[in-house]
Amino acid sequence: MNIYFVTYISKCYEMDEDELLYALALKRVNGVGDVIAKRLIDVCGSPKAIFKERYKLLEKINGVGNVLLKNLCNSSCLFDAEKELKIIQKNGIKPLYFLDSAYPKYL
């Protein structure tokens, strides 16, 4: 049984540092683009929750297969995201993710 979606993320919020770390890691997972990321977040609730979720739920999401599940286990995505977050903090960059309440509505 696959899970399909009619609408995407309806909630927006200010992301804390921890949630940003997982959002950066999600963008680094091979095979996860904007559409799959939104589907995963819609089901799990947040980028962090995706990495904590059981595979049985994730594999039911339309577009998520065994290869993508394996890629989600790759710890290098989180390691690279930690390095990127340090660069963001060091340079005073204000990241803007599509879950952020300041993200433009029509992008």
Side-chain angles (χ1 to χ4, degrees):
M1 177 181 160
N2 288 334
I3 299 173
Y4 294 92
F5 303 91
V6 176
T7 59
Y8 286 117
I9 311 299
S10 58
K11 67 175 185 174
C12 291
Y13 54 89
E14 292 294 324
M15 294 181 73
D16 63 17
E17 188 176 291
D18 194 44
E19 209 50 61
L20 176 59
L21 173 66
Y22 283 93
L24 293 170
L26 184 61
K27 293 300 290 179
R28 294 182 166 278
V29 174
N30 191 19
V32 174
D34 293 337
V35 173
I36 297 296
K38 288 177 182 180
R39 286 181 187 166
L40 288 165
I41 293 168
D42 201 27
V43 170
C44 298
S46 71
K48 183 177 181 177
I50 293 166
F51 289 92
K52 307 289 183 190
E53 188 58 65
R54 294 174 293 134
Y55 287 154
K56 291 294 180 190
L57 174 68
L58 294 175
E59 69 185 2
K60 294 179 181 179
I61 300 171
N62 185 33
V64 176
N66 291 333
V67 173
L68 185 63
L69 289 173
K70 181 181 174 190
N71 293 343
L72 279 168
C73 288
N74 187 346
S75 61
S76 70
C77 294
L78 198 54
F79 178 75
D80 291 343
E82 287 173 343
K83 291 193 299 188
E84 186 174 356
L85 184 59
K86 287 178 184 176
I87 292 169
I88 288 170
Q89 293 167 335
K90 179 182 176 184
N91 293 297
I93 297 169
K94 168 76 171 117
L96 195 57
Y97 197 61
F98 68 87
L99 290 175
D100 196 310
S101 58
Y103 192 81
K105 184 177 180 178
Y106 297 106
L107 277 183

